[in-house]
Amino acid sequence: MRILPVLTALIFFSFNTPETNIIHSNVVAHVLIDNYHNDLYAEVYFQKDLFTMALLQEESCPPENMVKVCGNSYAQQHINMTLNDEPLAFKNQSFNIEKDYVVYRYFLGSSNGKIQKIEVESDYLLKYDDHSVTKLRIKIDELEKHYSLKAERKKITLSLN
């Protein structure tokens, strides 16, 4: 008779897996923000297929500049970040194309003092898919936070006070 409660629990958990919870979402980008002392850096990973389709529709670049120039422009136009209420300027350090992702690396800027507050707002690829999700990871010293930016919540604020 102990089998019945175990079977019931297994059936319940099989319908409540992470895969079924995100069935209507599409992770289109990952943004990783890290600091080194008071300097901030970001890596932006775009899901290659959807990103390429968006660039072909939105940008008028020659093919040889599509990812390097237009992709970089798209990456910067569709995300805003502030550090201690000051806008961050993206300085492109590098990019590369991987199997499933196009990756851009940026120097974001320096804080003159302690990092107290970071705001990130993104609408990456929402124009093409209402269920687009940008996974955001912010790591400042020992603190690490994870967020999902999507149509319902395009902006987050992380206070470090």
Side-chain angles (χ1 to χ4, degrees), residues 92-120:
N92 191 3
Q93 292 192 313
S94 67
F95 86 97
N96 65 304
I97 300 171
E98 297 179 356
K99 179 182 175 196
D100 296 320
Y101 295 97
V102 177
V103 183
Y104 297 90
R105 290 175 185 84
Y106 299 101
F107 170 70
L108 298 174
S110 297
S111 171
N112 294 332
K114 184 179 176 186
I115 296 174
Q116 297 176 353
K117 181 173 139 184
I118 297 175
E119 289 184 330
V120 180

Side-chain angles (χ1 to χ4, degrees), residues 53-89:
M53 184 270 310
L55 293 179
L56 289 171
Q57 290 188 18
E58 287 190 31
E59 303 290 339
S60 57
C61 276
E64 64 272 9
N65 290 337
M66 185 62 68
V67 175
K68 185 175 184 178
V69 176
C70 293
N72 181 43
S73 175
Y74 180 92
Q76 292 185 42
Q77 289 173 6
H78 292 273
I79 193 165
N80 295 307
M81 294 187 203
T82 63
L83 173 64
N84 300 338
D85 294 321
E86 296 293 325
L88 291 170

